[in-house]
């Protein structure tokens, strides 16, 4: 039976936080819906101390941000974007349109149609997370979205040059310097200066994630992404320093970022906890990571690899780093997660920044029912049908007529009956049903 050597915050504590966040977000979104740009400006001043007449960046401002970066910085951004774009293109290639003749004269098919406008949120209040621009804007453009709007908060009192550069190089059509609920709300609801989008994507803090949840239905969303979660599944093939480093590498995201170790080795578990304490003395971002580890860190000791997999699937974490003597077994066994990082040579930071897989991933157990952001999220799979012959419409129409009668839908039935009369030459009574010529005995 699994034993928790360290537990994080309980379900009630999480629920209490959710209630507070939910109420705040609801008020703010209602204000944006009622007052538009005026509400957005007040919120930006209140939360980011950021005020300007127009929050959309001009081409001159964008060019200045790009010019402020070194050639090496731009090269590194372009390298990361090439990886993300390349993998997204390979994913898009797996999604083919379909047209098939299912019965003689009956053609069914589907098309993958991109949404017309996507809003990509790039978080950056604590750190300028330029990688989120690659993950959202590039993926939308590979999917074929015509209008891609992207918002990121100011950093240290001005647009974050690296973020703006990444947004521009990724192909964004509109770049706005707005953060938090006001950015997400403006993109989804629309204001006097910003036309609304059809879909919201991107990670964020608890307030951004809740805003997306409340806006779902008015617009589509990719998934519930944020706050960041990480899990390490490890055995004695690795040491405590590596486990602790990978846990704290994600805990630094924010004070509410869970970091969990699952292991079948008590020695490794306790060594990892000691290493966490040692590293928290020297990690530059220790103030944030310490709060996350103290409040949300967990260490779970299991009896077997099977139990490790069961516990992992129950938690359904966003990032799952697997470092064991049977990594491929976990690849084939695990079912609930955002992304897997298999073996000690890779890690979550590679996925977050550069390797090519998308870093916008399901959190809060959403990995039970969805994967992460990818080109398919921006595409609507829409079906179509054609009936080419009189014989085909008569055949389908007769079945449809009788099935509608079983349900009591006379109007539906008449849609079928009319075709049977006109194309099949059969005299079906109005609001009746087409009786079979050869009834089944």
């Amino acid at each position: 039976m699994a034993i928790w050597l360290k537990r994080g915050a309980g379900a009630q504590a999480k629920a209490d936080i959710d209630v507070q966040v939910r109420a705040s977000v609801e008020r703010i979104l209602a204000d944006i819906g009622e007052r538009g740009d005026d509400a957005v400006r007040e919120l930006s001043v209140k939360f980011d101390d950021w005020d300007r007449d127009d929050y959309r960046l001009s081409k001159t401002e964008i060019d200045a941000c790009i010019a402020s970066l070194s050639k090496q910085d731009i090269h590194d951004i372009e390298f990361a974007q090439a990886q993300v774009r390349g993998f997204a293109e390979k994913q898009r290639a797996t999604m083919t349109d379909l047209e098939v003749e299912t019965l003689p004269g009956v053609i069914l098919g589907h098309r993958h149609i991109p949404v017309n406008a996507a809003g990509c949120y790039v978080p950056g209040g604590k750190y300028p997370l330029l990688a989120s621009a690659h993950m959202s804007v590039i993926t939308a453009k590979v999917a074929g979205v015509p209008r891609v709007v992207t918002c990121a908060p100011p950093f240290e009192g001005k647009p974050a040059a690296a973020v703006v550069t990444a947004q521009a190089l990724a192909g964004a059509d509109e770049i706005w310097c707005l953060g938090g609920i006001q950015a997400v709300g403006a993109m989804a609801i629309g204001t006097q200066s910003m036309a609304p989008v059809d879909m919201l994507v991107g990670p964020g803090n608890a307030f951004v994630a809740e805003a997306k949840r409340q806006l779902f239905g008015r617009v589509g969303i990719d998934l519930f992404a944020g706050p960041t979660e990480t899990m390490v599944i490890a055995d004695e093939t690795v040491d405590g320093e590596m486990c602790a480093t990978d846990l704290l590498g994600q805990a630094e995201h924010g004070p509410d970022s869970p970091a969990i170790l699952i292991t079948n080795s008590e020695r490794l578990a306790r060594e990892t906890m000691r290493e966490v304490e040692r590293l928290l003395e020297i990690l530059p971002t220790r103030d944030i990571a310490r709060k996350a580890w103290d409040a949300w860190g967990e260490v779970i000791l299991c009896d077997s690899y099977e139990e490790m997999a069961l516990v992992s699937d129950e938690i359904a974490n966003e990032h799952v780093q697997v470092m064991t003597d049977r990594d491929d077994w976990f690849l084939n066994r695990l079912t609930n997660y955002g992304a897997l990082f298999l073996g000690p040579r890779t890690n979550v930071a590679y996925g977050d920044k550069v390797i090519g897989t998308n870093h916008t991933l399901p959190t809060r157990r959403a990995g039970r029912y969805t994967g992460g952001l990818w080109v398919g999220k921006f595409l609507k799979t829409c079906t179509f049908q054609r009936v080419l012959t009189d014989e085909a419409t008569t055949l389908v129409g007769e079945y449809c007529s009788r099935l509608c009668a079983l349900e009591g839908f006379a109007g539906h039935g008449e849609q079928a009956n009319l075709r049977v009369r006109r194309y099949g030459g059969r005299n079906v009574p109005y609001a009746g049903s087409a009786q079979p010529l050869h009834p089944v005995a």
Side-chain angles (χ1 to χ4, degrees):
M1 185 174 70
I3 299 171
W4 269 251
L5 302 182
K6 182 185 184 306
R7 274 194 183 273
Q12 187 57 52
K14 296 177 184 178
D16 291 343
I17 293 171
D18 287 347
V19 169
Q20 297 169 20
V21 170
R22 189 176 303 124
S24 296
V25 170
E26 188 172 7
R27 288 194 301 271
I28 290 171
L29 291 178
D31 192 26
I32 293 171
E34 183 176 341
R35 298 194 298 125
D37 283 337
D38 288 342
V40 169
R41 175 165 286 104
E42 287 179 17
L43 292 162
S44 182
V45 172
K46 177 180 179 180
F47 292 118
D48 292 326
D49 194 24
W50 178 242
D51 188 17
R52 50 185 279 160
D53 292 334
D54 185 356
Y55 287 95
R56 181 174 178 179
L57 300 186
S58 67
K59 185 178 185 304
T60 299
E61 290 174 302
I62 295 167
D63 289 344
C65 286
I66 296 172
S68 73
L69 268 59
S70 70
K71 291 182 179 179
Q72 184 64 55
D73 289 338
I74 293 175
H75 172 78
D76 292 344
I77 291 171
E78 289 175 335
F79 176 86
Q81 293 196 345
Q83 311 319 304
V84 173
R85 184 178 293 106
F87 187 62
E89 288 172 347
K90 294 295 185 184
Q91 289 183 305
R92 180 64 182 88
T94 69
M95 302 183 68
T96 56
D97 289 350
L98 172 68
E99 186 168 325
V100 61
E101 189 170 19
T102 57
L103 292 167
V106 175
I107 305 297
L108 306 182
H110 71 226
R111 296 178 60 222
H112 299 298
I113 304 171
V115 300
N116 287 311
C120 301
Y121 184 68
V122 179
K126 296 184 182 71
Y127 313 100
L129 298 179
L130 60 103
S132 289
H134 319 330
M135 305 297 174
S136 57
V137 177
I138 286 175
T139 309
K141 282 302 182 183
V142 170
V145 178
R147 174 177 171 246
V148 177
V149 181
T150 178
C151 288
F155 185 71
E156 298 180 345
K158 60 183 179 181
V163 171
V164 174
T165 299
Q167 291 168 317
L169 295 179
D173 298 292
E174 300 173 25
I175 300 175
W176 298 69
C177 191
L178 273 175
I181 305 169
Q182 59 269 27
V184 173
M187 288 191 287
I189 298 168
T191 70
Q192 295 88 339
S193 62
M194 183 188 294
V197 299
D198 301 313
M199 184 173 185
L200 286 173
V201 304
N205 62 19
F207 290 90
V208 169
E210 174 61 19
K212 288 170 65 180
R213 189 192 70 80
Q214 292 189 23
L215 290 163
F216 178 60
R218 179 189 288 264
V219 294
I221 65 170
D222 49 355
L223 54 133
F224 301 122
T228 290
E229 308 164 345
T230 200
M231 174 186 290
V232 172
I233 297 175
D235 61 17
E236 291 193 355
T237 58
V238 291
D239 58 32
E241 181 185 25
M242 184 164 284
C243 293
T245 297
D246 287 344
L247 292 168
L248 294 178
Q250 296 299 302
E252 72 176 1
H253 264 282
D256 52 358
S257 293
I260 301 170
L261 172 67
I262 297 178
T263 183
N264 56 1
S265 166
E266 185 172 355
R267 183 197 65 77
L268 179 64
R270 298 198 180 280
E271 180 188 345
T272 298
M273 288 191 285
R274 288 192 298 270
E275 282 294 307
V276 166
E277 296 303 322
R278 182 182 70 83
L279 293 173
L280 281 172
E281 294 297 319
I282 59 176
L283 184 67
T285 53
R286 59 185 172 272
D287 289 347
I288 294 172
R290 163 62 72 188
K291 292 177 182 177
W293 177 251
D294 286 350
W296 301 94
E298 298 193 358
V299 177
I300 306 170
L301 180 61
C302 295
D303 291 331
S304 65
Y305 289 101
E306 178 62 28
E307 187 173 56
M308 292 162 71
L310 287 170
V311 172
S312 175
D313 270 349
E314 176 62 24
I315 295 171
N317 208 275
E318 176 188 14
H319 303 106
V320 178
Q321 170 85 37
V322 180
M323 298 182 289
T324 68
D325 65 4
R326 58 197 71 193
D327 298 343
D328 285 343
W329 180 85
F330 279 98
L331 173 63
N332 294 315
R333 172 64 179 79
L334 295 177
T335 59
N336 297 338
Y337 55 86
L340 282 181
F341 305 82
L342 298 168
R345 291 180 179 83
T346 191
N347 61 82
V348 176
Y350 285 6
D352 276 352
K353 309 302 178 189
V354 68
I355 208 166
T357 53
N358 206 290
H359 81 188
T360 304
L361 301 168
T363 61
R364 301 172 65 87
R365 303 190 71 230
R368 293 171 298 131
Y369 56 82
T370 187
L373 180 61
W374 72 299
V375 288
K377 293 282 188 179
F378 294 100
L379 297 168
K380 303 170 293 181
T381 301
C382 302
T383 61
F384 63 87
Q385 58 175 269
R386 296 191 192 93
V387 180
L388 303 179
T389 66
D390 294 349
E391 294 79 9
T393 195
T394 300
L395 172 67
V396 175
E398 289 174 348
Y399 278 99
C400 184
S401 172
R402 296 191 294 272
L403 291 169
C404 290
L406 279 175
E407 295 179 344
F409 267 132
H412 283 64
E414 267 308 299
Q415 291 180 267
N417 292 341
L418 181 63
R419 273 74 182 176
V420 173
R421 295 187 199 105
R422 290 196 178 185
Y423 298 107
R426 293 197 58 190
N427 185 20
V428 181
Y430 186 83
S433 64
Q435 296 304 305
L437 296 177
H438 305 288
V440 176

